[in-house]
Amino acid sequence: MERVLTLFLLCPALFFTTVTSQQDNVCLRPNLADTINLAGIHRYFNPGEELALSCIDGYTPVSGPRKIVCKVNGEWTKTRFLCIPKRCPYPDPPTNGELYYEDTIYRSTINYTCNEGYVLTGSSTSVCQANGTWSTLVPECTPVTCDLAPIPQFGMIIYDTTVRGNTTYYGTTGTYRCHPPHALIGNPRAECTASGTWTKTPECKVVTCHPPRNIDKGYMSTSRQRDYDYMETVKYGCTGEFVLEGSQEIVCQQDGTWSEKPSCKAPCKIGINRGRILYKGRKIWIGDLNPNRVLHNEIVSVYCKNTARNCGYAVPTQCIDGRLQIPECFEEPSGTDYTFHSGSLPSEITQC
């Protein structure tokens, strides 16, 4: 009985020793990258056993081999098996919008936005999935809509593009007009804005101007003393040899004032007694200019002499409201030279 008990007590120790000695050359389940799948659920592998390798969802295998073998020394054979994330196609931006992303690999995210005046229809984000496709379609950016532009009383709007129905879109523009004698007070341009509303609507108000006054040395196209409506006009002219400078016509403006009136400018007398001038393309002796005057803004030339080269040259001067300045280089000849030696005058000798 004692021998049996002794043998029974020794058996567990012998069994434990056997198992422990067998695990000295087994392979433990390898600790590989998180992206690699290991076949089966065993923790221990005997020499010669194989373990298949694969990639988790969203990753693609590269290199190899795709299995490892337990060696007699308890180590696994080497492998370059590697799993890289799958890649989704490069995305296109939505029309009238933009997209933002850092990469296109598995689990990457796209964020979509629309330009000002456009509203995003669809998902604003998309994720690269394990099968290499994006989780959502590219969204659309649709323009903000406005109602038709409000029309002021006694006014209208002319759209820059054709408008159909009762809806307009962001960026639609137009110009307001008022029916005379109403004047437009405010901004004549209108636009459908990003907020879905139109810019501020102007007003159409009756505007009148007081009777205009005449101008010095001039006359008006009417002598009636009455108030004038917005956009009515009056014309001016000048008497005698005075020249009208400015617009011939003034208009009653939207602020109730007249546009700038013209003025009548005086003619000029040529302040030389002897000499020859160039006027309207012709050489004229000053005595033959009858009457002795040129009109406002007209140009006349007198002749000067280049003594060093012994030649003459014409110097222009312009009549400005009754004043014509004679160039300093002009020297009026004596009566004798003018009468008996006119051929030696700067206007008659060789021109420079």
Side-chain angles (χ1 to χ4, degrees):
M1 182 65 178
E2 292 178 355
R3 293 182 60 190
V4 174
L5 181 59
T6 301
L7 180 63
F8 176 77
L9 293 173
L10 290 174
C11 283
L14 292 173
F15 177 77
F16 178 77
T17 303
T18 303
V19 173
T20 303
S21 62
Q22 287 178 350
Q23 289 185 346
D24 287 342
N25 59 353
V26 299
C27 295
L28 299 177
R29 193 173 186 85
N31 184 21
L32 301 179
D34 294 339
T35 55
I36 298 177
N37 262 330
L38 303 177
I41 59 174
H42 296 90
R43 294 182 60 193
Y44 304 101
F45 298 83
N46 293 319
E49 286 191 281
E50 296 179 351
L51 181 60
L53 308 178
S54 61
C55 292
I56 64 174
D57 287 345
Y59 291 81
T60 301
V62 293
S63 300
R66 298 192 181 184
K67 66 180 180 179
I68 53 178
V69 181
C70 179
K71 298 190 293 186
V72 293
N73 62 354
E75 295 181 356
W76 292 98
T77 55
K78 301 295 184 181
T79 181
R80 293 184 178 179
F81 187 77
L82 182 66
C83 294
I84 61 173
K86 289 185 178 179
R87 186 173 293 276
C88 287
Y90 285 99
D92 294 321
T95 304
N96 298 310
E98 295 180 352
L99 53 80
Y100 304 90
Y101 65 93
E102 293 184 356
D103 210 333
T104 59
I105 60 174
Y106 175 52
R107 291 179 178 171
S108 295
T109 301
I110 300 174
N111 292 306
Y112 293 99
T113 60
C114 290
N115 298 336
E116 183 182 21
Y118 292 85
V119 178
L120 191 140
T121 302
S123 177
S124 62
T125 60
S126 188
V127 179
C128 181
Q129 303 177 111
N131 62 359
T133 63
W134 293 103
S135 59
T136 60
L137 298 175
V138 177
E140 294 183 3
C141 291
T142 56
V144 170
T145 59
C146 296
D147 295 329
L148 294 177
I151 305 298
Q153 189 179 14
F154 308 113
M156 64 179 182
I157 187 171
I158 302 173
Y159 292 106
D160 295 333
T161 55
T162 302
V163 173
R164 295 181 174 86
N166 296 323
T167 301
T168 55
Y169 297 93
Y170 168 71
T172 301
T173 53
T175 302
Y176 283 108
R177 297 279 189 270
C178 291
H179 304 299
H182 298 82
L184 189 142
I185 308 300
N187 187 356
R189 293 292 293 167
E191 182 178 6
C192 172
T193 66
S195 63
T197 59
W198 283 88
T199 49
K200 187 176 180 180
T201 306
E203 297 180 78
C204 292
K205 292 184 177 180
V206 174
V207 172
T208 57
C209 294
H210 295 304
R213 295 182 179 181
N214 200 357
I215 56 176
D216 188 35
K217 303 299 181 181
Y219 58 87
M220 296 190 298
S221 60
T222 179
S223 59
R224 293 180 60 190
Q225 292 297 301
R226 65 173 178 86
D227 288 340
Y228 288 77
D229 292 329
Y230 170 62
M231 292 301 291
E232 278 197 285
T233 60
V234 172
K235 292 184 179 180
Y236 286 95
C238 293
T239 59
E241 295 180 336
F242 284 80
V243 174
L244 192 77
E245 183 168 270
S247 175
Q248 181 186 20
E249 186 176 78
I250 61 173
V251 58
C252 179
Q253 302 175 119
Q254 67 179 26
D255 61 357
T257 63
W258 290 97
S259 58
E260 186 176 358
K261 292 188 294 185
S263 58
C264 293
K265 302 299 183 181
C268 298
K269 180 179 179 181
I270 302 175
I272 63 174
N273 297 313
R274 293 179 292 275
R276 206 172 189 186
I277 61 172
L278 180 65
Y279 179 54
K280 293 183 178 181
R282 296 174 52 236
K283 279 186 175 182
I284 303 173
W285 294 105
I286 191 64
D288 295 332
L289 183 65
N290 189 16
N292 183 331
R293 64 102 185 95
V294 291
L295 301 181
H296 170 69
N297 270 341
E298 286 189 324
I299 294 176
V300 63
S301 297
V302 297
Y303 286 88
C304 297
K305 184 177 181 179
N306 185 323
T307 304
R309 297 172 57 189
N310 194 29
C311 58
Y313 58 95
V315 180
T317 183
Q318 187 175 25
C319 173
I320 302 296
D321 192 21
R323 184 172 183 271
L324 188 142
Q325 184 174 355
I326 301 301
E328 294 182 359
C329 66
F330 175 77
E331 295 183 6
E332 190 167 308
S334 65
T336 301
D337 289 340
Y338 183 66
T339 303
F340 300 106
H341 306 288
S342 59
S344 64
L345 298 180
S347 59
E348 308 308 307
I349 61 178
T350 303
Q351 297 299 291
C352 299

